[in-house]
Amino acid sequence: MKRYADLAVIVAAGWLAAASVRADGPREIRKVVPLDADGSLSVETYKGSITVTTAPGGEASIEAKIVPDGDDEASLRRAAETNVKIEGGGKSVSVTTVDSGARHKGWFGSDDGSQPMVHYTIRMPATAHLRIEDYKSTTRVSGLASDLRIKTYKGSVDVVRQNGGVELETYKGEISIAFEALTKPVTLETYKGDIQLRIPASAQFEVDADTGRRGDFATEFEMTTRTGGSRGGAHGIVNGGGPRVSFETDKGSLRLVKE
């Protein structure tokens, strides 16, 4: 009888633990750290959203909201055990989603649950560099006057008022980038994603688009030369030339739109 009583205590404790996790719900984390005007901020996460705006001053404000993606016990536990690590200050700041929940085994095998969504809201100096590495988040960046580097597997990206270089890599994401000015190189790589660049009509730049045999390139700009490369694509000069817009894909598309 004692054996069954002990088992009942264990089961009851598990129920209480699950109820505790469920009661917690979303969690919010806030932190303000110094960030130099010429410093850099990096974000590494899996899914959710990343919203970055700029503000004067020498600091970065980071807010994160961790939300369970499911109401089963395993997903709630996983959300409770997911944390946000914010490190550094001054020259460099890193923000990382830390998932500790993918290590549990239930009585009937592995049950890791669904990884939670983490929603980031970040304010930083406009002249600091920004790097984002993500799997499938919704990313929005506004007013950056410095270099932007984004790597996402299948997330969506919306950038407005960009005034710096861009390096972007995605497998099959939906990407839109609107430039306030195009003064630095832009490098884009995708397997089968769709990328749209909105560029001032008077901007001076070069185009080197390698679309392979199944990719697509379209532009509203007149190019002095427009020839296909060895793998197909377009190569030319717009308004006398300037920074290079490089694009490489297998089955994706690039469209250049006049602003």
Side-chain angles (χ1 to χ4, degrees), residues 160-207:
V160 297
R161 295 189 295 114
Q162 174 65 16
N163 194 1
V166 173
E167 183 177 339
L168 181 138
E169 180 181 345
T170 180
Y171 179 74
K172 58 177 181 179
E174 297 287 332
I175 313 297
S176 174
I177 303 175
F179 287 88
E180 190 170 79
L182 204 165
T183 58
K184 289 187 176 181
V186 176
T187 303
L188 312 166
E189 183 178 345
T190 183
Y191 176 67
K192 58 178 180 179
D194 296 316
I195 301 175
Q196 177 178 272
L197 302 185
R198 306 188 71 88
I199 303 172
S202 60
Q204 297 177 291
F205 59 97
E206 298 181 11
V207 175

Side-chain angles (χ1 to χ4, degrees), residues 6-43:
D6 291 343
L7 180 60
V9 170
I10 293 172
V11 172
W15 287 342
L16 288 173
S20 174
V21 170
R22 183 182 297 271
D24 287 342
R27 290 184 292 123
E28 296 187 5
I29 298 165
R30 295 183 176 88
K31 190 172 183 178
V32 177
V33 295
L35 178 60
D36 295 345
D38 61 347
S40 64
L41 186 144
S42 66
V43 181

Side-chain angles (χ1 to χ4, degrees), residues 190-245:
T190 183
Y191 176 67
K192 58 178 180 179
D194 296 316
I195 301 175
Q196 177 178 272
L197 302 185
R198 306 188 71 88
I199 303 172
S202 60
Q204 297 177 291
F205 59 97
E206 298 181 11
V207 175
D208 184 7
D210 185 351
T211 59
R213 296 181 179 179
R214 293 178 290 180
D216 184 61
F217 171 80
T219 179
E220 295 181 356
F221 292 88
E222 291 186 7
M223 296 168 56
T224 56
T225 60
R226 189 172 181 177
T227 60
S230 59
R231 296 181 65 242
H235 310 271
I237 297 173
V238 175
N239 293 331
R244 177 169 293 183
V245 175

